[in-house]
């Protein structure tokens, strides 16, 4: 049956080639859409690694940048004030835990990498880039981080001969594989002291729910003159703390720090919503465009198939005269279309598999492409069936007599 | 000849209403998307006010220090400007300004995007002043608390009416308004802000003289032809960089770019490579447009082929009476161009509506998106390209029909 349909298609190959191209292009568009959808779904299902319920972020604008050397006495003063501010906020009755952080989730931060640029330390993780943040000891309590191995840094690290660091699971995997990450060294920090892994946390997808799990490292933030004071305070409040807390927080902060420091308090969920709106905008635009493209394809294919049926009236009429039933005709028109769609899907799959940028996107796994491709294939079969339905109905209504009449 | 082609084209369009509708819908929608994309691109990168001098403007916003195993990148600091940018050949104006930051007003509990700039900024950018004017070198030297604000900020803070001379209180600072300008879209990275204040009014200590800092430098050349020399001169200066801390850093990287090159660098490279990425960005944009146009083009081709086969007898007659293939191809291309141009007109109308909706929505604040001449011409060029490509294959098929077969009703 299929072999016969294939013969029918081959006999009209010139007319069908263009239709095949259109189906192929439509499949590619759907595959792109399906892959993007599968990618975001896959990300959504991954553990986030932290919880932002009842978490507030207080931005502290102290105007000290990590790239500019600052007189030591100014730095000491700033660090003292920052430590006082942390204590003040911690003492608020609404606050359960507070931590000073350089970057925190949902915003861009500092990106580090180990290069082999004349260094004698062996390069770990093939020089892969990773994101670095630094936080004070209470950060896991604020964000509800899950420790998988080892511990978070704390008082135990005071005066140690290394800089303690906590990395996320993805980084532990990429850098150390099967080896135990605890006690491993990742470069050197201030004072030429080694940076040593003391713990591994789950997930920590810093860019939020839609982002893939990237390599991430936390360093211990210390109020020393060598370090820039934290840029943000993350605080976990008691459940049910209302919006009025924002004003309380800013007021208390203002009363503590220097007059020229600036403060802005926001609920982390609000920050997330703002970021997500910006993230979703291009996706929505692409989605709307894709829907219209598909509408175009549906209308176009229907038109072409309709035209084909009217041109093949004689052939169909002859089949009817020789005893083919209406459902035979339906089967032929839709069957030919399905075979062509199948060819387009195969061609499209081969084409996609050879696209060089597949390997470029590090976080895209084969299963995401497969899921996206499968969804696209299903969608294109449904779409062509929809397009073929009306023309096939027209074909089934052809009267045998019209095949015999010569006009 | 052309007149009869056009007449014929019109008649053909009326014959198969469904096909005409589908074709027009396809062409119109495709062109609408392309025109909207071009308009947004033009709004963010095109020579629109305030960045009107883009042809002779160069910018640097990222600097990188690198050494043995160390590398630290950041925005431009004041010392980079004084040591490396000042006195480059052929430079008419040099402006250094800070990145935008947000300042809140306790009085109105509103937040305003603030940018601190020097006085040359107002010569490099051409803002539309509705009231007053820019602040001057003198204001900077004396650290006067003055500010230029945007129209919408004035309305939000002071209500309707003139704002000149009034006092704007942001956090602990009080600025006297010396100028009000037309709103600028946030897509214009160098110009956008709600409040512009002198660089020297920053809170706390004056900015420390460092290579890396929180600013951007823009150079306005007297002649666009001088761009290569200026770029080369900066490279030469950077090559002679003497590191103050050779144990950590030995090299300094930065590049002078046009606005477009700068965007390309942000996507494809970083401040540490000397290559020019503009061609890559153009290529990527062209590829993106081609990918997008592929499906509509094939769709239109397909419809066109069907349409032609329907007209096989007519073609047969014309061929029998001596019409050459070239005539037929020409005729069909004209017909297809008429169709695409009609679709384009429709697309432009749709695009106008979408752009208006986008301008009014909160998605792109202060975005005065519209069809200027550049955008309209780009759209027209794309439409002609679209028409020719989608018409050429069906026309070729049409011209190849054998007259005898055509008279009988076309090929199989």
């Amino acid at each position: 049956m299929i072999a016969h349909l294939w013969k029918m298609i081959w006999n009209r190959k010139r007319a069908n080639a263009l239709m095949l191209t259109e189906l192929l292009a439509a499949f590619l568009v759907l595959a792109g859409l399906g892959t993007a959808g599968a990618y975001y779904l896959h990300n959504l299902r991954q553990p986030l690694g932290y919880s932002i319920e009842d978490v507030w972020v207080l931005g502290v604008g102290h105007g000290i940048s990590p790239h500019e050397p600052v007189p030591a006495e100014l730095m000491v003063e700033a660090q003292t004030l920052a430590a006082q501010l942390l204590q003040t906020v911690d003492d608020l009755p609404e606050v359960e835990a507070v931590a000073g952080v350089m970057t925190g989730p949902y915003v861009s931060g500092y990106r580090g990498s180990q290069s082999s640029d004349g260094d004698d330390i062996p390069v770990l993780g093939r020089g892969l880039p990773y994101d670095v943040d630094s936080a004070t000891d209470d950060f896991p309590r604020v964000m509800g981080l899950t420790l998988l191995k080892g511990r978070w840094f704390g008082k135990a690290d005071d005066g140690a001969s290394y800089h303690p660091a906590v990395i996320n699971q993805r980084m532990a995997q990429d850098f150390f594989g099967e080896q135990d990450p605890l006690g491993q060294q990742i470069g050197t920090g201030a004072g030429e002291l080694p940076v040593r892994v003391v713990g591994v946390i789950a997930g920590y997808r810093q860019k939020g729910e839609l982002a893939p799990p990237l390599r991430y490292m936390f360093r211990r933030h210390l109020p020393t003159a060598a370090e820039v004071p934290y840029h943000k305070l993350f605080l976990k409040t008691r459940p049910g703390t209302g919006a009025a807390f924002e004003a309380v927080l800013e007021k208390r902060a203002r009363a503590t720090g220097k007059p020229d420091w600036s403060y802005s308090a926001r609920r982390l969920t609000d920050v997330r919503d703002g970021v997500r709106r910006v993230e979703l905008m291009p996706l929505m635009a692409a989605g709307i465009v894709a829907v219209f493209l598909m509408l175009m394809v549906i209308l176009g294919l229907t038109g072409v198939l309709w035209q084909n049926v009217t041109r093949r009236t004689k052939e169909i009429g002859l089949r009817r005269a020789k005893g083919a039933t209406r459902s035979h005709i339906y089967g032929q028109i839709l069957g030919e279309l399905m075979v062509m769609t199948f060819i387009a899907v195969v061609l499209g799959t081969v084409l996609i598999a050879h696209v060089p940028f597949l390997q470029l996107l590090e976080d895209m796994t084969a299963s995401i492409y497969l899921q996206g491709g499968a969804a696209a294939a299903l969608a294109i079969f449904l779409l062509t069936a929809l397009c073929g339905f009306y023309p096939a109905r027209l074909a089934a209504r052809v009267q045998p007599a019209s095949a015999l009449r010569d006009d | 000849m052309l007149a009869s082609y056009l007449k014929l084209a019109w008649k053909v369009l009326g014959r198969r209403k469904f096909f005409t509708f589908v074709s027009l819908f396809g062409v119109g929608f495709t062109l609408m998307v392309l025109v909207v994309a071009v308009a947004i691109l033009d709004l963010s990168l095109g020579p629109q006010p305030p960045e009107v001098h883009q042809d002779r403007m160069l910018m640097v916003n990222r600097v990188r220090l690198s050494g043995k195993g160390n590398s630290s990148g950041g925005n431009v600091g004041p010392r980079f400007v004084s040591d490396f940018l000042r006195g480059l050949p052929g430079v008419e104006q040099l402006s250094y300004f800070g990145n935008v930051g947000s300042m809140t007003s306790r009085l109105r509990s509103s937040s305003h995007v603030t940018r601190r700039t020097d006085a040359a900024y107002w010569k490099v950018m051409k803002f539309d002043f509705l009231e007053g004017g820019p602040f001057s070198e003198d204001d900077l030297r004396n650290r006067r608390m003055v500010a230029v604000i945007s129209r919408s900020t004035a309305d939000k803070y002071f209500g309707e009416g003139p704002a000149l001379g009034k006092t704007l209180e942001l956090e602990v600072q009080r600025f006297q308004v010396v100028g009000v300008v037309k709103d600028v879209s946030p897509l214009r990275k160098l110009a956008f802000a709600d409040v512009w204040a002198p660089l020297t009014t920053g809170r706390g200590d004056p900015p420390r003289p460092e290579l890396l800092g929180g600013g951007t430098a823009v150079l306005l050349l007297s002649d666009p032809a001088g761009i290569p020399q200026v770029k080369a001169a900066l490279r030469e200066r950077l090559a002679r960089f003497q590191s103050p801390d050779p144990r950590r850093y030995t090299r300094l990287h930065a590049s002078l770019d046009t606005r477009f090159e700068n965007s390309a660098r942000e996507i494809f490279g970083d401040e540490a490579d000397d290559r020019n990425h503009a061609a890559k960005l153009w290529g990527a944009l062209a590829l993106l447009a081609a990918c997008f146009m592929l499906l509509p083009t094939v769709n239109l081709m397909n419809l066109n082929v069907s349409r032609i086969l329907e007209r096989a007898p007519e073609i047969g007659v014309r061929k029998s009476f001596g019409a050459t293939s070239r005539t037929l191809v020409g005729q069909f291309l004209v017909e297809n161009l008429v169709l695409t141009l009609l679709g384009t007109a429709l697309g432009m109308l749709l695009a106008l509506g979408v752009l208006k909706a986008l301008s009014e929505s909160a998605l792109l604040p202060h975005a005065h998106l519209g069809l200027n001449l550049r955008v309209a011409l780009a759209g027209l060029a794309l439409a002609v390209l679209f028409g020719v490509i989608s018409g050429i294959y069906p026309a070729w098929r049409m011209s190849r029909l054998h007259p005898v077969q055509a008279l009988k009703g076309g090929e199989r």
Side-chain angles (χ1 to χ4, degrees):
Chain A
M1 172 71 182
I2 288 186
H4 180 68
L5 285 176
W6 169 246
K7 201 171 168 185
M8 304 280 296
I9 293 168
W10 187 251
N11 283 342
R12 306 181 66 249
K13 55 186 175 295
R14 275 241 295 215
N16 284 335
L18 209 50
M19 209 147 82
L20 196 65
T21 317
E22 180 163 1
L23 287 172
L24 178 62
F27 175 66
L28 291 181
V29 171
L30 284 170
L33 204 66
T35 314
Y39 173 72
Y40 286 111
L41 265 179
H42 172 79
N43 284 348
L44 269 175
R45 282 201 301 262
Q46 305 268 315
L48 185 61
Y50 53 88
S51 144
I52 60 170
E53 274 314 301
D54 296 314
V55 176
W56 288 67
V57 52
L58 177 72
V60 181
H62 48 57
I64 297 172
S65 132
H67 302 296
E68 301 174 8
V70 177
E73 64 276 9
L74 189 80
M75 205 62 151
V76 171
E77 182 203 24
Q79 283 286 13
T80 317
L81 280 172
Q84 274 172 18
L85 180 62
L86 193 141
Q87 195 55 51
T88 315
V89 173
D90 204 11
D91 289 342
L92 288 171
E94 294 94 337
V95 174
E96 284 185 348
V98 59
V101 182
M102 290 312 269
T103 308
Y106 296 113
V107 283
S108 297
Y110 176 71
R111 190 138 237 236
S113 77
Q114 271 204 318
S115 64
S116 55
D117 210 22
D119 237 293
D120 358 310
I121 319 163
V123 177
L124 299 160
R126 292 158 288 151
L128 293 170
Y130 54 91
D131 292 296
V132 189
D133 199 353
S134 77
T136 56
D137 299 348
D138 253 358
F139 192 60
R141 269 184 64 212
V142 177
M143 302 298 293
L145 304 181
T146 321
L147 268 170
L148 297 176
K149 269 191 194 134
R151 58 185 175 83
W152 190 260
F153 35 72
K155 290 261 184 292
D157 298 303
D158 283 351
S161 60
Y162 56 85
H163 292 292
V166 173
I167 57 177
N168 71 353
Q169 203 178 3
R170 170 82 194 271
M171 185 160 168
Q173 197 118 53
D174 288 356
F175 272 54
F176 308 113
E178 295 301 302
Q179 279 175 288
D180 185 11
L182 297 184
Q184 299 271 13
Q185 185 189 338
I186 301 178
T188 49
E192 302 296 311
L193 291 179
V195 176
R196 194 166 288 167
V197 179
V198 298
V200 178
I201 50 170
Y204 201 76
R205 287 188 291 143
Q206 187 251 350
K207 288 271 162 69
E209 288 83 351
L210 291 177
L214 298 175
R215 291 171 285 275
Y216 214 81
M217 176 165 96
F218 277 100
R219 307 257 311 262
R220 189 180 186 207
H221 184 84
L222 287 171
T224 62
E227 262 190 88
V228 178
Y230 56 75
H231 288 306
K232 292 158 194 171
L233 279 179
F234 276 70
L235 35 133
K236 175 99 179 167
T237 57
R238 288 185 205 292
T241 304
F245 182 58
E246 179 185 330
V248 176
L249 192 59
E250 285 189 11
K251 201 173 145 206
R252 285 305 285 272
R254 208 164 277 126
T256 314
K258 260 170 111 171
D260 66 343
W261 287 16
S262 63
Y263 308 95
S264 61
R266 284 184 83 190
R267 236 186 242 277
L268 203 46
T269 42
D270 292 344
V271 176
R272 187 226 15 223
D273 292 347
V275 169
R276 189 176 287 174
R277 217 168 294 135
V278 176
E279 256 178 341
L280 286 179
M281 224 161 60
L283 295 181
M284 299 263 283
I288 292 171
V289 168
V291 165
F292 272 95
L293 279 180
M294 286 308 121
L295 199 59
M296 213 187 279
V297 171
I298 291 174
L299 289 176
L301 275 184
T302 310
V304 172
L305 287 170
W306 187 354
Q307 170 68 15
N308 280 350
V309 165
T310 40
R311 287 177 48 76
R312 292 169 73 185
T313 306
K314 276 180 198 161
E315 172 197 336
I316 295 162
L318 198 60
R319 276 201 73 195
R320 291 279 280 140
K322 296 285 281 177
T325 62
R326 284 196 171 178
S327 54
H328 280 136
I329 305 294
Y330 258 111
Q332 183 196 348
I333 301 287
L334 286 177
E336 275 183 31
L337 194 58
M338 288 300 130
V339 170
M340 278 216 284
T341 313
F342 179 74
I343 297 170
V345 168
V346 170
L347 279 179
T349 312
V350 171
L351 215 62
I352 293 172
H354 283 87
V355 173
F357 61 71
L358 280 195
Q359 281 80 33
L360 275 185
L361 300 165
E362 206 192 318
D363 306 299
M364 299 290 281
T365 58
S367 87
I368 293 177
Y369 283 116
L370 278 180
Q371 283 169 21
L378 187 71
I380 191 115
F381 275 111
L382 285 175
L383 198 132
T384 43
L386 188 74
C387 297
F389 186 71
Y390 180 67
R393 216 167 95 105
L394 280 185
R397 287 234 201 96
V398 167
Q399 295 300 320
S402 62
L404 310 169
R405 205 171 56 221
D406 194 23
D407 49 355
Chain B
M1 193 64 144
L2 197 65
S4 68
Y5 282 179
L6 290 175
K7 197 173 162 192
L8 204 61
W10 184 250
K11 286 273 183 277
V12 169
L13 285 183
R15 196 150 62 188
R16 269 279 211 159
K17 299 254 171 19
F18 179 73
F19 273 39
T20 307
F21 163 73
V22 174
S23 307
L24 283 182
F25 168 80
V27 178
F29 175 74
T30 309
L31 260 297
M32 181 202 81
V33 172
L34 288 171
V35 167
V36 169
V38 170
I40 291 177
L41 198 69
D42 189 65
L43 180 73
S44 43
L45 290 174
Q48 288 198 8
E51 294 167 34
V52 282
H53 300 306
Q54 275 194 357
D55 55 329
R56 51 195 180 96
M57 201 172 98
L58 287 173
M59 62 175 286
V60 49
N61 65 340
R62 298 277 305 172
V63 179
R64 180 168 286 274
L65 279 163
S66 72
K68 191 179 157 224
N70 261 320
S71 145
S72 175
N75 291 123
V76 176
R79 216 185 87 212
F80 184 82
V81 178
S82 59
D83 288 9
F84 293 93
L85 297 181
R86 234 168 255 299
L88 284 171
V91 176
E92 194 179 286
Q93 294 287 343
L94 164 62
S95 169
Y96 174 66
F97 49 92
N99 295 340
V100 287
S102 179
M103 287 181 90
T104 49
S105 142
R106 250 175 289 166
L107 207 65
R108 300 275 186 280
S109 64
S110 52
S111 168
H112 304 279
V113 176
T114 313
R115 189 194 287 281
R116 311 220 182 223
T117 77
D118 60 5
Y121 183 77
W122 305 102
K123 303 204 175 90
V124 174
M125 310 274 173
K126 287 275 169 281
F127 282 89
D128 282 337
F129 274 91
L130 304 171
E131 292 175 49
F135 43 78
S136 65
E137 206 64 67
D138 195 47
D139 291 325
L140 260 98
R141 218 170 302 120
N142 295 314
R143 302 184 68 179
R144 266 186 216 122
M145 302 301 284
V146 290
V148 172
I149 62 176
S150 70
R151 182 71 258 170
S152 68
T153 309
D155 291 346
K156 203 153 79 174
Y157 196 91
F158 302 112
E160 303 279 322
L164 208 59
K166 291 189 177 162
T167 304
L168 179 77
E169 200 180 324
L170 292 177
E171 285 164 18
V172 290
Q173 299 194 308
R174 294 161 67 90
F175 296 97
Q176 200 200 352
V177 176
V178 292
V180 178
V181 293
K182 230 166 105 179
D183 286 335
V184 181
S185 159
L187 291 178
R188 296 238 71 113
K189 227 175 47 178
L190 300 179
F192 168 67
D194 296 327
V195 177
W196 295 260
L199 203 56
T200 48
T201 58
R203 285 169 303 166
D205 311 314
R208 283 167 287 274
E210 271 307 304
L211 288 170
L212 302 185
T216 300
V218 170
L219 275 62
L220 192 64
L221 310 193
S222 38
D223 180 11
I227 287 179
Q229 277 114 291
V230 181
K231 286 184 174 180
L234 178 70
R235 265 199 296 277
E236 208 175 290
R237 285 183 180 190
L238 289 172
R240 291 202 307 264
F241 170 63
Q242 294 288 321
S243 173
D245 187 0
R247 274 189 56 241
R248 290 172 70 205
Y249 303 117
T250 50
R251 275 168 297 159
L252 177 65
H253 312 270
S255 289
L256 279 169
D257 292 323
T258 61
R259 205 52 185 80
F260 191 79
E261 287 165 0
N262 182 266
S263 298
R265 183 180 298 284
E266 277 181 9
I267 301 169
F268 298 108
D270 62 39
E271 58 277 10
D273 68 43
D274 288 333
R275 280 166 298 162
N276 190 338
H277 299 277
K280 246 188 255 175
L281 185 53
W282 275 122
L285 286 174
L287 192 72
L288 218 66
C291 282
F292 171 68
M293 276 168 76
L294 173 71
L295 189 53
T297 313
V298 178
N299 194 36
L300 194 61
M301 268 189 209
N302 228 335
L303 287 170
N304 280 338
V305 169
S306 296
R307 219 190 249 270
I308 284 171
L309 295 183
E310 217 174 36
R311 289 165 64 187
E314 172 199 329
I315 296 156
V317 171
R318 287 210 58 197
K319 280 209 147 182
S320 320
F321 281 90
T324 61
S325 288
R326 192 184 293 174
T327 323
L328 285 171
V329 167
Q331 179 195 343
F332 190 74
L333 274 183
V334 169
E335 274 179 29
N336 197 49
L337 276 174
V338 168
L339 181 74
T340 25
L341 289 179
L342 273 179
T344 307
L346 195 73
M348 293 273 184
L349 279 179
L350 284 173
L352 265 180
V354 171
L355 291 175
K356 193 159 184 288
L358 265 179
S359 304
E360 280 165 11
S361 78
L363 287 178
L364 299 169
H366 317 318
H368 302 292
L369 283 164
L371 291 179
N372 58 30
L373 196 63
R374 273 189 310 278
V375 177
L377 282 181
L380 204 63
L382 284 166
V384 170
L385 187 76
F386 191 59
V388 170
I389 292 178
S390 62
I392 207 112
Y393 172 72
W396 177 76
R397 281 277 296 272
M398 174 185 191
S399 69
R400 292 244 321 201
L401 278 180
H402 197 273
V404 175
Q405 237 184 23
L407 280 170
K408 276 170 71 183
E411 54 172 14
R412 261 163 56 80

